[in-house]
Amino acid sequence: MRRTSPGVLIVLGLLSAAAGYGFDHVLTITGNATFTPTIFLPVLLVLLGATCLLLAWPVRRSVRSGVRIDPFRAVRASMLAQASSLLGAILAGFGAGLLAYLSTRPVPAPVGSTVAMVALVVGALVLSGAALLAEQFCTLPKDSDDREPDDPAP
C-alpha cells in the first residue's frame, strides 16, 4: 500500500478551490446568497483528525515495542488516515475557493461568513496534517520473511 502523495493533495486542493470559486459565482449569478459553511464543520474536521491519531497510536506503540499487532487493524487505521487526508485537502481547497470569491467581490462580506470560511480552511488543514501523521504511525516494518517478487529464493 502506498502512502498519500503530497502532489495528489495539492492537485485535489487546487481543483476543489476552483470548484468552490465557481460554485459561489454560480450562486451569485442566479441571484442566490453565497454559500457559508456552518461553524460546526471545522470542529467536526478537527475531531476526525483526533480520531485518526487515536486509532493510529496503538499501531505506532506496537511497532516501537516490537509487539505484534493485527495487520488488518493497521490497514484500517491507515485507510481512514488516507481518506481523511484526501477529504481535508478537498475541503481546504473548497473553503479557499469560497474565501477567494468573497474577497474579490466589490461588496464587503459579512464578518461571520469570512470567519466561518477561514475556520473551514484551518480545520481542513489540521485534518490533513493529523491524517498524514496517523498514516505515518501505521507504517509497519517489513517482516524478515517478506520478499519482493523479484528477489531470488535463498
Side-chain angles (χ1 to χ4, degrees), residues 105-141:
R105 293 184 60 193
V107 177
V111 175
S113 297
T114 307
V115 168
M117 289 181 201
V118 169
L120 171 63
V121 171
V122 169
L125 290 175
V126 166
L127 172 62
S128 286
L132 289 173
L133 185 62
E135 189 177 345
Q136 182 183 3
F137 285 174
C138 293
T139 304
L140 297 176

Side-chain angles (χ1 to χ4, degrees), residues 21 25 97-107:
Y21 189 91
H25 184 66
L98 295 175
L99 191 60
Y101 183 77
L102 276 185
S103 64
T104 59
R105 293 184 60 193
V107 177

